[in-house]
């Protein structure tokens, strides 16, 4: 079964919907709503409950993409809302785990610092997102982080604390963090390349209105 890009219909001509009201966008909103629930459960030491909430939250990233591709529900809103939900989820989940001593400090440093660099670069260079597609490495990175985080929570439950699951979870998180750094470097390089390409066409990277005119939008 295809995991990355699941639901893709080969040779099918997709319609890019302008409306917010698509099922994938609703699923993405659910992801946002689950974040404060997750933070509250971790803060109160309810690790098993936090595990299940995070497991559902993590699965929505795959579910909304599958529905969008399988049922032709791609949308302009989803193009920026889904990546925003990914970034926000990763940052909030990792900060929460570190603040409440569930995960080591290096996890949040490896996630937040690259994201902060990318955010500042995008704001200064493009006045917003450079609108680059997410790479396969980025998708695998996200999967590792959103699998490792629930596992490390499960390892804090009384039944599994001190077992090999804790080591496994930390290894998965470490792999996700390494890929996050590499994916961020790749994204930064691509953003620089896009800025050069825009300038070569006489378009200022910060002039987003000019992007729209050049693309016929």
């Amino acid at each position: 079964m295809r995991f990355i890009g699941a639901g893709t219909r080969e040779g099918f001509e997709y319609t890019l919907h302008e409306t917010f009201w698509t099922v994938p966008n609703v699923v993405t909103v659910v992801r946002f709503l689950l974040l404060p629930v997750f933070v509250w459960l971790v803060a109160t030491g309810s690790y098993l409950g936090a595990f299940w909430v995070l497991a559902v939250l993590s699965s929505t990233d795959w579910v909304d993409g599958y529905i969008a591709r399988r049922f032709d529900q791609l949308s302009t809103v989803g193009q920026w809302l889904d990546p925003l939900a990914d970034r926000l989820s990763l940052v909030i989940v990792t900060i929460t785990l570190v603040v409440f001593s569930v995960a080591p400090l290096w996890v949040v440093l490896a996630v937040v610092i690259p994201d902060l660099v990318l955010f500042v670069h995008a704001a200064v260079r493009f006045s917003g997102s450079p609108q680059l597609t997410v790479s396969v490495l980025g998708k695998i990175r996200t999967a590792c982080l959103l699998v490792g985080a629930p596992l490390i929570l499960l390892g804090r439950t009384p039944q599994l604390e001190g077992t090999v699951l804790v080591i496994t979870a930390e290894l998965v998180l470490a792999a996700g963090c390494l890929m996050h750094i590499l994916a961020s470097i790749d994204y930064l390089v691509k953003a620089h390349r896009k800025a050069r390409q825009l300038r070569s066409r006489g378009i200022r990277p910060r002039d987003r209105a000019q992007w729209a005119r050049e693309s016929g939008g």
Side-chain angles (χ1 to χ4, degrees):
M1 179 181 177
R2 183 175 184 174
F3 185 77
I4 296 177
T8 300
R9 299 159 66 178
E10 300 296 343
F12 181 79
E13 186 174 344
Y14 286 96
T15 301
L16 191 62
H17 301 281
E18 299 292 334
T19 180
F20 171 85
W21 296 108
T22 65
V23 173
N25 289 342
V26 172
V27 173
T28 302
V29 170
V30 171
R31 199 186 324 170
F32 280 108
L33 296 178
L34 286 175
L35 286 171
V37 178
F38 169 78
V39 174
W40 179 76
L41 288 171
V42 175
T44 57
S46 304
Y47 297 127
L48 186 57
F51 163 78
W52 286 114
V53 169
L54 189 53
V56 173
L57 189 153
S58 301
S59 68
T60 61
D61 183 41
W62 184 87
V63 170
D64 59 13
Y66 174 83
I67 294 173
R69 290 182 291 268
R70 181 67 181 84
F71 299 102
D72 190 21
Q73 294 201 14
L74 300 176
S75 69
T76 53
V77 173
Q79 287 182 326
W80 61 263
L81 185 65
D82 183 61
L84 175 63
D86 286 346
R87 302 263 52 80
L88 197 61
S89 297
L90 286 177
V91 171
I92 290 179
V93 167
T94 52
I95 289 177
T96 301
L97 294 179
V98 171
V99 166
F100 293 101
S101 303
V102 177
L105 179 62
W106 53 261
V107 175
V108 74
L109 294 178
V111 171
V112 173
I113 292 177
D115 274 3
L116 183 61
V117 170
L118 291 178
F119 174 79
V120 172
H121 177 267
V124 172
R125 181 65 66 88
F126 294 94
S127 295
S129 171
Q131 297 178 3
L132 300 174
T133 57
V134 180
S135 66
V136 173
L137 177 62
K139 291 179 182 293
I140 297 174
R141 170 274 322 269
T142 301
C144 283
L145 291 175
L146 292 182
V147 167
L151 288 179
I152 207 167
L153 279 167
L154 200 58
R156 291 297 299 269
T157 59
Q159 298 86 348
L160 295 170
E161 193 170 9
T163 66
V164 69
L165 179 65
V166 178
I167 298 176
T168 302
E170 290 187 354
L171 288 175
V172 174
L173 277 177
C177 287
L178 176 60
M179 285 188 283
H180 182 69
I181 294 171
L182 294 176
S184 298
I185 294 172
D186 177 63
Y187 194 86
L188 192 61
V189 170
K190 289 178 179 177
H192 275 290
R193 186 181 303 142
K194 180 168 185 175
R196 288 198 303 270
Q197 290 172 346
L198 288 171
R199 284 196 297 268
S200 70
R201 293 161 51 194
I203 303 173
R204 289 177 299 170
R206 292 177 60 86
D207 190 347
R208 305 183 72 83
Q210 193 176 6
W211 289 22
R213 289 195 299 270
E214 288 289 327
S215 63

